[in-house]
Amino acid sequence: SSLMPPNINESSSSRPRGCCHSTHGTRFLLAATSSCAAEVVTFPLDTAKVLLQLQRGRVRGLGWRSLHNVALTLWHQKGINYAVYDVVKQTLNADSDQKVWKKLSAGIPSALLGALLVTPADVVKTRLQGDHHTGIIPRSHGGLAAGLSIWRTEGLQGLWRGTGPAVQRASILFPVTIAVYDTCKVRATAAGVSDATPLHMVCALSSSLCATAVSTPFDVAKSRMMTTSARNSQYSSFLRSVAVIATTEGMAALWKGALPIWGRCLVWQMVFFPMYEVACRAVLGTKGV
């Protein structure tokens, strides 16, 4: 009937072609803004995670001076992730047949592109967090100063140090996160569960557990590489980092900081996904994921 309300769960692929570019740009902005809000809430846990992975001592404060660098990193990365994911998922027609492998495949290119573009900001953020602890004089006192210092002392390659594990981690973390969340939500709504905030939070719980389990070793190696200079560093590559950590500290060390990683991931997703879903429904009139 013409009096029936529009289906807000309708796939974004059914929207008129003329609105695609503006829709993807809007998704970028909504995802970027939602990710920044989630990061403000979880920033202390992110700092704790980095320090645990670096085997640093008691923290004096939480290194809030690097928060704006984190926000800048996520503004670009998450905006790219969700905008590109939406494009690739439409291309693969993943909303129609709901195949998990298509959702994983849609997440990989968006994760790779996001990780490559934001690695310099991630290096600066990790250096600032790693320096902020007992007994260490900070090497820099702000994001711009830290970036210039790295560029002067280590060259441009220093700003992309740890790109390997960062890209590898992203290519696993984001596809698993989005595929698990998306699949859980689709199956729950098919069983009659209301597509509302409580469901989004339960799906975020499942997604955060899976994402933490598969991504933590990459996160540990990335943190070790990004906080050390390439010169005379035993963490010269991802495989070398994994070998050194496993040999000197044991295999369990590859999951060092897993609890704060999961705690941060859980809280982050419980803030991000409901906020992103509500924003997409309000602005675009369709589901977020």
Side-chain angles (χ1 to χ4, degrees):
S1 172
S2 60
L3 297 178
M4 291 292 290
N7 181 9
I8 60 175
N9 289 317
E10 184 181 358
S11 168
S12 57
S13 61
S14 63
R15 291 188 298 268
R17 292 184 179 272
C19 70
C20 283
H21 293 303
S22 61
T23 297
H24 298 321
T26 303
R27 280 188 180 275
F28 175 96
L29 293 174
L30 295 178
T33 303
S34 300
S35 68
C36 288
E39 191 61 33
V40 169
V41 175
T42 59
F43 182 74
L45 287 171
D46 186 54
T47 300
K49 173 208 74 172
V50 171
L51 296 179
L52 281 172
Q53 291 173 341
L54 300 176
Q55 297 181 304
R56 297 286 168 83
R58 180 172 55 87
V59 183
R60 182 182 296 165
L62 293 170
W64 287 99
R65 73 185 191 280
S66 62
L67 177 58
H68 66 282
N69 298 293
V70 179
L72 178 63
T73 299
L74 286 171
W75 173 267
H76 294 90
Q77 186 174 31
K78 296 305 178 183
I80 292 169
N81 285 164
Y82 286 89
V84 175
Y85 176 76
D86 188 54
V87 174
V88 179
K89 190 169 77 164
Q90 288 180 40
T91 303
L92 296 176
N93 201 27
D95 272 330
S96 297
D97 53 28
Q98 294 297 328
K99 292 186 185 295
V100 176
W101 72 265
K102 287 188 177 182
K103 295 176 182 179
L104 288 169
S105 299
I108 292 174
S110 56
L112 292 176
L113 181 59
L116 282 172
L117 292 178
V118 304
T119 292
D122 200 14
V123 170
V124 169
K125 181 265 294 186
T126 306
R127 292 280 181 99
L128 288 172
Q129 287 176 317
D131 284 350
H132 194 85
H133 66 95
T134 302
I136 295 293
I137 299 174
R139 287 172 282 191
S140 304
H141 295 277
L144 181 59
L148 291 173
S149 175
I150 294 169
W151 175 63
R152 282 194 294 261
T153 58
E154 302 172 40
L156 284 176
Q157 64 269 28
L159 290 170
W160 270 270
R161 179 157 171 73
T163 298
V167 168
Q168 291 160 350
R169 172 183 176 271
S171 66
I172 291 177
L173 177 60
F174 181 72
V176 169
T177 296
I178 196 67
V180 171
Y181 176 87
D182 198 349
T183 301
C184 286
K185 196 178 80 163
V186 167
R187 292 185 178 179
T189 52
V193 179
S194 175
D195 188 0
T197 297
L199 174 60
H200 303 157
M201 297 183 77
V202 171
C203 293
L205 170 62
S206 302
S207 175
S208 65
L209 282 170
C210 295
T212 300
V214 300
S215 68
T216 299
F218 295 93
D219 204 31
V220 172
K222 176 178 75 75
S223 292
R224 298 285 180 95
M225 289 184 69
M226 285 184 171
T227 52
T228 58
S229 172
R231 301 168 185 171
N232 303 318
S233 174
Q234 59 182 334
Y235 307 114
S236 56
S237 66
F238 170 68
L239 292 178
R240 172 68 175 165
S241 299
V242 169
V244 169
I245 294 169
T247 302
T248 60
E249 304 170 42
M251 289 294 293
L254 291 171
W255 278 268
K256 189 180 291 289
L259 186 58
I261 287 176
W262 176 69
R264 174 189 178 278
C265 189
L266 174 62
V267 176
W268 196 97
Q269 291 191 26
M270 282 190 167
V271 173
F272 172 81
F273 279 118
M275 184 174 178
Y276 180 58
E277 294 274 12
V278 168
C280 284
R281 288 176 184 274
V283 177
L284 297 174
T286 187
K287 64 182 182 177
V289 178

